[in-house]
Amino acid sequence: MKELRQLCGFACLAALVLSGCGRPRGLVETLAPNEVMDFRTLYAENCAGCHGRDGRGGAAIGLADPVYLALADERSMRRAVANGVRGTAMPSFAESAGGLLTEAQIDVIVGEIRSRWSRPGMLDGANPPSYAAKSAGDIQRGEAAYRTFCESCHGPGGLGGPKGSAIANDSFLALVSDQGLRTLVIAGRPDLGAPDWRGNVPGHPMSDQDVTDVVAWLLSKRVEAPGQPYSAASFQQH
């Protein structure tokens, strides 16, 4: 009887396979990593850790900021995702640059960010500074522009104030790119309460040259070896 039950079981299994079922109903097929094309999954696994859930900002800028999306073109965003930003925490995601994402997956990420979170006409009637600098900035003019537009929040010399962080900090400047600084000055950080180029001085938006000069002044604060060394007192036993 035992042998008969085994034979019946094998016969049923064979019939199931031959019938075309192949696997139990309801079993979800697991996609290979390079086959995932769902935006929410791709964003959560590759972007949210720095740019925040739903693009609201975190260690890096919020990608759901419509001002930023109106300034940065799709080509620039795609290049940053694919190749990363040298000298910053933004890695390369494209397979061709050592990452794990296909060209099609990068197209999904960039395209969906722009279609979901941008607002058509966001800057209509405004005269925004250009996304990329058109000329070299002047450090002395930049220091004066900083005092006018930025010091009230970020403090004298960019060392921090009651409403803003230290943006002349050597460690911060070592972790942000030249373009990243310009983007921050123009678009602000709405998730942190930092206004865009129009909101620093009511009725007096920053000009393209103001932005370029402030960025030049900030870049002049970069040092070759950032970070304060530990003093001998730090190693004393207590």
Side-chain angles (χ1 to χ4, degrees):
M1 292 297 293
K2 179 178 180 181
E3 290 77 10
L4 181 59
R5 287 196 297 270
Q6 289 178 334
L7 287 173
C8 290
F10 288 136
C12 290
L13 179 60
L16 179 65
V17 173
L18 293 174
S19 69
C21 293
R23 60 178 181 272
R25 292 182 180 179
L27 182 65
V28 178
E29 182 178 1
T30 301
L31 296 175
N34 63 358
E35 296 176 326
V36 176
M37 299 299 288
D38 175 66
F39 169 71
R40 291 187 179 278
T41 301
L42 290 171
Y43 181 87
E45 293 181 351
N46 298 282
C47 314
C50 290
H51 295 284
R53 182 179 178 183
D54 297 323
R56 299 302 177 186
I61 62 171
L63 298 174
D65 177 7
V67 173
Y68 164 71
L69 292 174
L71 293 166
D73 59 74
E74 184 170 350
R75 184 179 179 182
S76 298
M77 291 181 64
R78 198 185 191 289
R79 183 169 58 246
V81 175
N83 301 323
V85 181
R86 187 175 181 180
T88 75
M90 177 68 178
S92 304
F93 284 96
E95 289 179 328
S96 59
L100 298 175
L101 297 181
T102 66
E103 297 296 315
Q105 288 173 319
I106 293 173
D107 287 341
V108 169
I109 290 174
V110 175
E112 288 295 312
I113 284 174
R114 298 188 68 85
S115 65
R116 289 168 182 257
W117 296 333
S118 61
R119 294 182 196 167
M122 180 66 193
L123 298 182
D124 286 354
N127 184 29
S130 62
Y131 177 68
K134 298 179 180 178
S135 62
D138 181 272
I139 294 174
Q140 289 185 331
R141 287 200 310 260
E143 184 175 13
Y146 174 85
R147 288 197 296 268
T148 299
F149 296 103
C150 315
E151 187 174 271
S152 61
C153 288
H154 295 286
L159 300 179
K163 296 186 290 183
S165 60
I167 55 174
N169 176 273
D170 55 359
S171 295
F172 166 72
L173 292 173
L175 294 170
V176 64
S177 67
D178 296 9
Q179 179 60 55
L181 277 175
R182 184 175 180 87
T183 300
L184 287 171
V185 174
I186 301 173
R189 281 290 300 263
D191 54 310
L192 300 178
D196 62 37
W197 86 98
R198 297 167 291 186
N200 297 292
V201 177
H204 186 23
M206 297 178 75
S207 68
D208 187 274
Q209 193 64 55
D210 288 332
V211 173
T212 300
D213 291 340
V214 164
V215 172
W217 178 75
L218 287 170
L219 292 176
S220 74
K221 302 297 181 181
R222 275 190 181 148
V223 297
E224 186 174 347
Q228 295 296 324
Y230 293 106
S231 66
S234 300
F235 299 96
Q236 293 178 358
Q237 299 294 321
H238 297 286

